PDB file of all heavy atoms in Angstrom:
ATOM      1  N   PRO A 212     -16.599 -28.977  -7.610  1.00  0.00           N
ATOM      2  CA  PRO A 212     -15.333 -29.674  -7.377  1.00  0.00           C
ATOM      3  C   PRO A 212     -15.045 -30.664  -8.501  1.00  0.00           C
ATOM      4  O   PRO A 212     -15.925 -31.416  -8.911  1.00  0.00           O
ATOM      5  CB  PRO A 212     -15.574 -30.392  -6.044  1.00  0.00           C
ATOM      6  CG  PRO A 212     -17.058 -30.559  -5.962  1.00  0.00           C
ATOM      7  CD  PRO A 212     -17.675 -29.412  -6.704  1.00  0.00           C
ATOM      8  N   LEU A 213     -13.807 -30.645  -8.991  1.00  0.00           N
ATOM      9  CA  LEU A 213     -13.422 -31.475 -10.136  1.00  0.00           C
ATOM     10  C   LEU A 213     -12.224 -32.339  -9.757  1.00  0.00           C
ATOM     11  O   LEU A 213     -11.281 -31.857  -9.124  1.00  0.00           O
ATOM     12  CB  LEU A 213     -13.056 -30.590 -11.331  1.00  0.00           C
ATOM     13  CG  LEU A 213     -14.169 -29.661 -11.829  1.00  0.00           C
ATOM     14  CD1 LEU A 213     -13.600 -28.616 -12.766  1.00  0.00           C
ATOM     15  CD2 LEU A 213     -15.271 -30.464 -12.508  1.00  0.00           C
ATOM     16  N   PRO A 214     -12.215 -33.592 -10.140  1.00  0.00           N
ATOM     17  CA  PRO A 214     -11.088 -34.460  -9.789  1.00  0.00           C
ATOM     18  C   PRO A 214      -9.845 -34.136 -10.605  1.00  0.00           C
ATOM     19  O   PRO A 214      -9.931 -33.596 -11.717  1.00  0.00           O
ATOM     20  CB  PRO A 214     -11.615 -35.862 -10.124  1.00  0.00           C
ATOM     21  CG  PRO A 214     -12.617 -35.634 -11.207  1.00  0.00           C
ATOM     22  CD  PRO A 214     -13.272 -34.320 -10.887  1.00  0.00           C
ATOM     23  N   ALA A 215      -8.694 -34.458 -10.063  1.00  0.00           N
ATOM     24  CA  ALA A 215      -7.441 -34.316 -10.796  1.00  0.00           C
ATOM     25  C   ALA A 215      -7.547 -35.075 -12.118  1.00  0.00           C
ATOM     26  O   ALA A 215      -8.140 -36.145 -12.188  1.00  0.00           O
ATOM     27  CB  ALA A 215      -6.282 -34.847  -9.967  1.00  0.00           C
ATOM     28  N   GLY A 216      -6.986 -34.481 -13.160  1.00  0.00           N
ATOM     29  CA  GLY A 216      -7.049 -35.089 -14.480  1.00  0.00           C
ATOM     30  C   GLY A 216      -8.188 -34.578 -15.344  1.00  0.00           C
ATOM     31  O   GLY A 216      -8.251 -34.897 -16.537  1.00  0.00           O
ATOM     32  N   THR A 217      -9.100 -33.788 -14.771  1.00  0.00           N
ATOM     33  CA  THR A 217     -10.209 -33.235 -15.556  1.00  0.00           C
ATOM     34  C   THR A 217      -9.659 -32.428 -16.724  1.00  0.00           C
ATOM     35  O   THR A 217      -8.827 -31.542 -16.552  1.00  0.00           O
ATOM     36  CB  THR A 217     -11.096 -32.344 -14.680  1.00  0.00           C
ATOM     37  OG1 THR A 217     -11.688 -33.137 -13.646  1.00  0.00           O
ATOM     38  CG2 THR A 217     -12.201 -31.686 -15.499  1.00  0.00           C
ATOM     39  N   ASP A 218     -10.129 -32.747 -17.940  1.00  0.00           N
ATOM     40  CA  ASP A 218      -9.627 -32.037 -19.121  1.00  0.00           C
ATOM     41  C   ASP A 218     -10.545 -30.878 -19.489  1.00  0.00           C
ATOM     42  O   ASP A 218     -11.561 -30.620 -18.827  1.00  0.00           O
ATOM     43  CB  ASP A 218      -9.445 -32.999 -20.295  1.00  0.00           C
ATOM     44  CG  ASP A 218     -10.750 -33.632 -20.769  1.00  0.00           C
ATOM     45  OD1 ASP A 218     -11.845 -33.173 -20.365  1.00  0.00           O
ATOM     46  OD2 ASP A 218     -10.674 -34.597 -21.562  1.00  0.00           O
ATOM     47  N   GLY A 219     -10.176 -30.192 -20.566  1.00  0.00           N
ATOM     48  CA  GLY A 219     -10.917 -29.002 -20.956  1.00  0.00           C
ATOM     49  C   GLY A 219     -12.355 -29.282 -21.311  1.00  0.00           C
ATOM     50  O   GLY A 219     -13.260 -28.514 -20.952  1.00  0.00           O
ATOM     51  N   ALA A 220     -12.617 -30.380 -22.027  1.00  0.00           N
ATOM     52  CA  ALA A 220     -13.987 -30.691 -22.423  1.00  0.00           C
ATOM     53  C   ALA A 220     -14.873 -30.930 -21.207  1.00  0.00           C
ATOM     54  O   ALA A 220     -16.009 -30.439 -21.135  1.00  0.00           O
ATOM     55  CB  ALA A 220     -13.995 -31.909 -23.342  1.00  0.00           C
ATOM     56  N   ALA A 221     -14.358 -31.655 -20.221  1.00  0.00           N
ATOM     57  CA  ALA A 221     -15.143 -31.922 -19.012  1.00  0.00           C
ATOM     58  C   ALA A 221     -15.329 -30.653 -18.198  1.00  0.00           C
ATOM     59  O   ALA A 221     -16.398 -30.440 -17.601  1.00  0.00           O
ATOM     60  CB  ALA A 221     -14.458 -33.003 -18.176  1.00  0.00           C
ATOM     61  N   TRP A 222     -14.293 -29.805 -18.144  1.00  0.00           N
ATOM     62  CA  TRP A 222     -14.399 -28.546 -17.410  1.00  0.00           C
ATOM     63  C   TRP A 222     -15.486 -27.676 -18.027  1.00  0.00           C
ATOM     64  O   TRP A 222     -16.337 -27.130 -17.311  1.00  0.00           O
ATOM     65  CB  TRP A 222     -13.058 -27.827 -17.442  1.00  0.00           C
ATOM     66  CG  TRP A 222     -12.923 -26.685 -16.484  1.00  0.00           C
ATOM     67  CD1 TRP A 222     -12.281 -26.673 -15.288  1.00  0.00           C
ATOM     68  CD2 TRP A 222     -13.442 -25.347 -16.666  1.00  0.00           C
ATOM     69  NE1 TRP A 222     -12.363 -25.435 -14.694  1.00  0.00           N
ATOM     70  CE2 TRP A 222     -13.078 -24.596 -15.520  1.00  0.00           C
ATOM     71  CE3 TRP A 222     -14.176 -24.720 -17.658  1.00  0.00           C
ATOM     72  CZ2 TRP A 222     -13.407 -23.251 -15.358  1.00  0.00           C
ATOM     73  CZ3 TRP A 222     -14.528 -23.380 -17.499  1.00  0.00           C
ATOM     74  CH2 TRP A 222     -14.148 -22.662 -16.360  1.00  0.00           C
ATOM     75  N   LEU A 223     -15.471 -27.542 -19.341  1.00  0.00           N
ATOM     76  CA  LEU A 223     -16.461 -26.704 -20.018  1.00  0.00           C
ATOM     77  C   LEU A 223     -17.869 -27.281 -19.863  1.00  0.00           C
ATOM     78  O   LEU A 223     -18.842 -26.538 -19.715  1.00  0.00           O
ATOM     79  CB  LEU A 223     -16.105 -26.554 -21.492  1.00  0.00           C
ATOM     80  CG  LEU A 223     -14.840 -25.736 -21.777  1.00  0.00           C
ATOM     81  CD1 LEU A 223     -14.461 -25.853 -23.248  1.00  0.00           C
ATOM     82  CD2 LEU A 223     -15.030 -24.270 -21.400  1.00  0.00           C
ATOM     83  N   ARG A 224     -17.970 -28.598 -19.865  1.00  0.00           N
ATOM     84  CA  ARG A 224     -19.275 -29.230 -19.664  1.00  0.00           C
ATOM     85  C   ARG A 224     -19.812 -28.905 -18.266  1.00  0.00           C
ATOM     86  O   ARG A 224     -21.009 -28.593 -18.101  1.00  0.00           O
ATOM     87  CB  ARG A 224     -19.151 -30.742 -19.868  1.00  0.00           C
ATOM     88  CG  ARG A 224     -20.473 -31.474 -19.834  1.00  0.00           C
ATOM     89  CD  ARG A 224     -20.353 -32.867 -20.457  1.00  0.00           C
ATOM     90  NE  ARG A 224     -19.294 -33.663 -19.843  1.00  0.00           N
ATOM     91  CZ  ARG A 224     -18.155 -33.995 -20.451  1.00  0.00           C
ATOM     92  NH1 ARG A 224     -17.905 -33.582 -21.682  1.00  0.00           N
ATOM     93  NH2 ARG A 224     -17.256 -34.744 -19.825  1.00  0.00           N
ATOM     94  N   ALA A 225     -18.942 -28.944 -17.264  1.00  0.00           N
ATOM     95  CA  ALA A 225     -19.365 -28.592 -15.907  1.00  0.00           C
ATOM     96  C   ALA A 225     -19.790 -27.126 -15.832  1.00  0.00           C
ATOM     97  O   ALA A 225     -20.778 -26.785 -15.163  1.00  0.00           O
ATOM     98  CB  ALA A 225     -18.233 -28.871 -14.923  1.00  0.00           C
ATOM     99  N   PHE A 226     -19.060 -26.281 -16.524  1.00  0.00           N
ATOM    100  CA  PHE A 226     -19.436 -24.862 -16.563  1.00  0.00           C
ATOM    101  C   PHE A 226     -20.833 -24.702 -17.171  1.00  0.00           C
ATOM    102  O   PHE A 226     -21.686 -23.981 -16.624  1.00  0.00           O
ATOM    103  CB  PHE A 226     -18.403 -24.079 -17.378  1.00  0.00           C
ATOM    104  CG  PHE A 226     -18.657 -22.605 -17.427  1.00  0.00           C
ATOM    105  CD1 PHE A 226     -18.027 -21.756 -16.531  1.00  0.00           C
ATOM    106  CD2 PHE A 226     -19.524 -22.057 -18.356  1.00  0.00           C
ATOM    107  CE1 PHE A 226     -18.266 -20.380 -16.565  1.00  0.00           C
ATOM    108  CE2 PHE A 226     -19.773 -20.689 -18.404  1.00  0.00           C
ATOM    109  CZ  PHE A 226     -19.137 -19.853 -17.502  1.00  0.00           C
ATOM    110  N   ASP A 227     -21.058 -25.358 -18.299  1.00  0.00           N
ATOM    111  CA  ASP A 227     -22.337 -25.224 -18.999  1.00  0.00           C
ATOM    112  C   ASP A 227     -23.498 -25.788 -18.189  1.00  0.00           C
ATOM    113  O   ASP A 227     -24.613 -25.246 -18.228  1.00  0.00           O
ATOM    114  CB  ASP A 227     -22.272 -25.945 -20.347  1.00  0.00           C
ATOM    115  CG  ASP A 227     -21.332 -25.270 -21.330  1.00  0.00           C
ATOM    116  OD1 ASP A 227     -21.001 -24.087 -21.130  1.00  0.00           O
ATOM    117  OD2 ASP A 227     -20.910 -25.942 -22.299  1.00  0.00           O
ATOM    118  N   GLU A 228     -23.251 -26.861 -17.450  1.00  0.00           N
ATOM    119  CA  GLU A 228     -24.335 -27.544 -16.753  1.00  0.00           C
ATOM    120  C   GLU A 228     -24.648 -26.952 -15.385  1.00  0.00           C
ATOM    121  O   GLU A 228     -25.787 -27.061 -14.914  1.00  0.00           O
ATOM    122  CB  GLU A 228     -23.985 -29.030 -16.597  1.00  0.00           C
ATOM    123  CG  GLU A 228     -23.944 -29.778 -17.919  1.00  0.00           C
ATOM    124  CD  GLU A 228     -23.489 -31.229 -17.767  1.00  0.00           C
ATOM    125  OE1 GLU A 228     -23.101 -31.609 -16.630  1.00  0.00           O
ATOM    126  OE2 GLU A 228     -23.520 -31.972 -18.767  1.00  0.00           O
ATOM    127  N   VAL A 229     -23.642 -26.315 -14.748  1.00  0.00           N
ATOM    128  CA  VAL A 229     -23.844 -25.846 -13.380  1.00  0.00           C
ATOM    129  C   VAL A 229     -23.703 -24.332 -13.258  1.00  0.00           C
ATOM    130  O   VAL A 229     -24.599 -23.643 -12.766  1.00  0.00           O
ATOM    131  CB  VAL A 229     -22.852 -26.540 -12.410  1.00  0.00           C
ATOM    132  CG1 VAL A 229     -23.096 -26.060 -10.972  1.00  0.00           C
ATOM    133  CG2 VAL A 229     -22.988 -28.052 -12.491  1.00  0.00           C
ATOM    134  N   VAL A 230     -22.577 -23.803 -13.709  1.00  0.00           N
ATOM    135  CA  VAL A 230     -22.304 -22.389 -13.469  1.00  0.00           C
ATOM    136  C   VAL A 230     -23.154 -21.483 -14.343  1.00  0.00           C
ATOM    137  O   VAL A 230     -23.759 -20.516 -13.857  1.00  0.00           O
ATOM    138  CB  VAL A 230     -20.798 -22.102 -13.679  1.00  0.00           C
ATOM    139  CG1 VAL A 230     -20.529 -20.596 -13.595  1.00  0.00           C
ATOM    140  CG2 VAL A 230     -19.973 -22.839 -12.632  1.00  0.00           C
ATOM    141  N   ALA A 231     -23.210 -21.761 -15.637  1.00  0.00           N
ATOM    142  CA  ALA A 231     -23.977 -20.886 -16.527  1.00  0.00           C
ATOM    143  C   ALA A 231     -25.440 -20.755 -16.109  1.00  0.00           C
ATOM    144  O   ALA A 231     -25.963 -19.627 -16.032  1.00  0.00           O
ATOM    145  CB  ALA A 231     -23.863 -21.379 -17.970  1.00  0.00           C
ATOM    146  N   PRO A 232     -26.143 -21.859 -15.798  1.00  0.00           N
ATOM    147  CA  PRO A 232     -27.532 -21.696 -15.348  1.00  0.00           C
ATOM    148  C   PRO A 232     -27.651 -20.902 -14.051  1.00  0.00           C
ATOM    149  O   PRO A 232     -28.606 -20.128 -13.879  1.00  0.00           O
ATOM    150  CB  PRO A 232     -28.013 -23.142 -15.160  1.00  0.00           C
ATOM    151  CG  PRO A 232     -27.119 -23.966 -16.012  1.00  0.00           C
ATOM    152  CD  PRO A 232     -25.791 -23.284 -15.964  1.00  0.00           C
ATOM    153  N   ALA A 233     -26.694 -21.081 -13.132  1.00  0.00           N
ATOM    154  CA  ALA A 233     -26.746 -20.341 -11.871  1.00  0.00           C
ATOM    155  C   ALA A 233     -26.588 -18.849 -12.102  1.00  0.00           C
ATOM    156  O   ALA A 233     -27.297 -18.030 -11.497  1.00  0.00           O
ATOM    157  CB  ALA A 233     -25.655 -20.852 -10.923  1.00  0.00           C
ATOM    158  N   VAL A 234     -25.669 -18.470 -12.989  1.00  0.00           N
ATOM    159  CA  VAL A 234     -25.465 -17.048 -13.268  1.00  0.00           C
ATOM    160  C   VAL A 234     -26.681 -16.466 -13.969  1.00  0.00           C
ATOM    161  O   VAL A 234     -27.139 -15.363 -13.629  1.00  0.00           O
ATOM    162  CB  VAL A 234     -24.187 -16.844 -14.114  1.00  0.00           C
ATOM    163  CG1 VAL A 234     -24.061 -15.379 -14.549  1.00  0.00           C
ATOM    164  CG2 VAL A 234     -22.945 -17.262 -13.324  1.00  0.00           C
ATOM    165  N   ARG A 235     -27.220 -17.181 -14.922  1.00  0.00           N
ATOM    166  CA  ARG A 235     -28.409 -16.679 -15.622  1.00  0.00           C
ATOM    167  C   ARG A 235     -29.572 -16.481 -14.649  1.00  0.00           C
ATOM    168  O   ARG A 235     -30.279 -15.465 -14.700  1.00  0.00           O
ATOM    169  CB  ARG A 235     -28.812 -17.633 -16.743  1.00  0.00           C
ATOM    170  CG  ARG A 235     -27.856 -17.646 -17.917  1.00  0.00           C
ATOM    171  CD  ARG A 235     -28.483 -18.361 -19.117  1.00  0.00           C
ATOM    172  NE  ARG A 235     -27.523 -18.481 -20.200  1.00  0.00           N
ATOM    173  CZ  ARG A 235     -26.769 -19.562 -20.418  1.00  0.00           C
ATOM    174  NH1 ARG A 235     -26.899 -20.624 -19.616  1.00  0.00           N
ATOM    175  NH2 ARG A 235     -25.914 -19.586 -21.407  1.00  0.00           N
ATOM    176  N   ALA A 236     -29.782 -17.432 -13.777  1.00  0.00           N
ATOM    177  CA  ALA A 236     -30.892 -17.336 -12.828  1.00  0.00           C
ATOM    178  C   ALA A 236     -30.691 -16.189 -11.843  1.00  0.00           C
ATOM    179  O   ALA A 236     -31.660 -15.542 -11.431  1.00  0.00           O
ATOM    180  CB  ALA A 236     -31.044 -18.665 -12.078  1.00  0.00           C
ATOM    181  N   PHE A 237     -29.440 -15.943 -11.476  1.00  0.00           N
ATOM    182  CA  PHE A 237     -29.145 -14.875 -10.522  1.00  0.00           C
ATOM    183  C   PHE A 237     -29.321 -13.494 -11.145  1.00  0.00           C
ATOM    184  O   PHE A 237     -29.649 -12.533 -10.450  1.00  0.00           O
ATOM    185  CB  PHE A 237     -27.708 -15.040 -10.017  1.00  0.00           C
ATOM    186  CG  PHE A 237     -27.325 -14.107  -8.916  1.00  0.00           C
ATOM    187  CD1 PHE A 237     -27.809 -14.282  -7.626  1.00  0.00           C
ATOM    188  CD2 PHE A 237     -26.466 -13.035  -9.162  1.00  0.00           C
ATOM    189  CE1 PHE A 237     -27.450 -13.407  -6.600  1.00  0.00           C
ATOM    190  CE2 PHE A 237     -26.103 -12.160  -8.152  1.00  0.00           C
ATOM    191  CZ  PHE A 237     -26.598 -12.351  -6.870  1.00  0.00           C
ATOM    192  N   ALA A 238     -29.122 -13.388 -12.463  1.00  0.00           N
ATOM    193  CA  ALA A 238     -29.285 -12.136 -13.202  1.00  0.00           C
ATOM    194  C   ALA A 238     -28.449 -11.003 -12.604  1.00  0.00           C
ATOM    195  O   ALA A 238     -28.979  -9.986 -12.151  1.00  0.00           O
ATOM    196  CB  ALA A 238     -30.759 -11.736 -13.267  1.00  0.00           C
ATOM    197  N   PRO A 239     -27.123 -11.138 -12.615  1.00  0.00           N
ATOM    198  CA  PRO A 239     -26.276 -10.095 -12.029  1.00  0.00           C
ATOM    199  C   PRO A 239     -26.235  -8.852 -12.906  1.00  0.00           C
ATOM    200  O   PRO A 239     -26.535  -8.890 -14.107  1.00  0.00           O
ATOM    201  CB  PRO A 239     -24.900 -10.768 -11.996  1.00  0.00           C
ATOM    202  CG  PRO A 239     -24.921 -11.674 -13.185  1.00  0.00           C
ATOM    203  CD  PRO A 239     -26.328 -12.218 -13.229  1.00  0.00           C
ATOM    204  N   GLU A 240     -25.827  -7.752 -12.300  1.00  0.00           N
ATOM    205  CA  GLU A 240     -25.588  -6.513 -13.031  1.00  0.00           C
ATOM    206  C   GLU A 240     -24.123  -6.365 -13.418  1.00  0.00           C
ATOM    207  O   GLU A 240     -23.773  -5.482 -14.203  1.00  0.00           O
ATOM    208  CB  GLU A 240     -26.025  -5.323 -12.169  1.00  0.00           C
ATOM    209  CG  GLU A 240     -27.505  -5.357 -11.824  1.00  0.00           C
ATOM    210  CD  GLU A 240     -27.869  -4.341 -10.758  1.00  0.00           C
ATOM    211  OE1 GLU A 240     -27.158  -3.333 -10.616  1.00  0.00           O
ATOM    212  OE2 GLU A 240     -28.864  -4.574 -10.044  1.00  0.00           O
ATOM    213  N   LEU A 241     -23.281  -7.224 -12.864  1.00  0.00           N
ATOM    214  CA  LEU A 241     -21.849  -7.209 -13.135  1.00  0.00           C
ATOM    215  C   LEU A 241     -21.311  -8.610 -12.891  1.00  0.00           C
ATOM    216  O   LEU A 241     -21.746  -9.290 -11.957  1.00  0.00           O
ATOM    217  CB  LEU A 241     -21.129  -6.213 -12.208  1.00  0.00           C
ATOM    218  CG  LEU A 241     -19.598  -6.233 -12.197  1.00  0.00           C
ATOM    219  CD1 LEU A 241     -19.040  -5.723 -13.522  1.00  0.00           C
ATOM    220  CD2 LEU A 241     -19.057  -5.401 -11.032  1.00  0.00           C
ATOM    221  N   VAL A 242     -20.364  -9.033 -13.723  1.00  0.00           N
ATOM    222  CA  VAL A 242     -19.670 -10.295 -13.521  1.00  0.00           C
ATOM    223  C   VAL A 242     -18.210  -9.995 -13.192  1.00  0.00           C
ATOM    224  O   VAL A 242     -17.530  -9.286 -13.945  1.00  0.00           O
ATOM    225  CB  VAL A 242     -19.750 -11.203 -14.763  1.00  0.00           C
ATOM    226  CG1 VAL A 242     -18.945 -12.489 -14.547  1.00  0.00           C
ATOM    227  CG2 VAL A 242     -21.204 -11.536 -15.096  1.00  0.00           C
ATOM    228  N   VAL A 243     -17.738 -10.503 -12.071  1.00  0.00           N
ATOM    229  CA  VAL A 243     -16.337 -10.392 -11.662  1.00  0.00           C
ATOM    230  C   VAL A 243     -15.700 -11.762 -11.830  1.00  0.00           C
ATOM    231  O   VAL A 243     -16.251 -12.756 -11.351  1.00  0.00           O
ATOM    232  CB  VAL A 243     -16.210  -9.894 -10.210  1.00  0.00           C
ATOM    233  CG1 VAL A 243     -14.756  -9.975  -9.732  1.00  0.00           C
ATOM    234  CG2 VAL A 243     -16.730  -8.463 -10.097  1.00  0.00           C
TER     235      VAL A 243
END
Side-chain angles (χ1 to χ4, degrees):
L213 300 166
T217 297
D218 63 12
W222 193 101
L223 292 171
R224 186 162 55 250
F226 183 95
D227 292 341
E228 293 176 354
V229 181
V230 173
V234 173
R235 290 193 185 96
F237 187 73
E240 299 169 25
L241 170 69
V242 177
V243 172

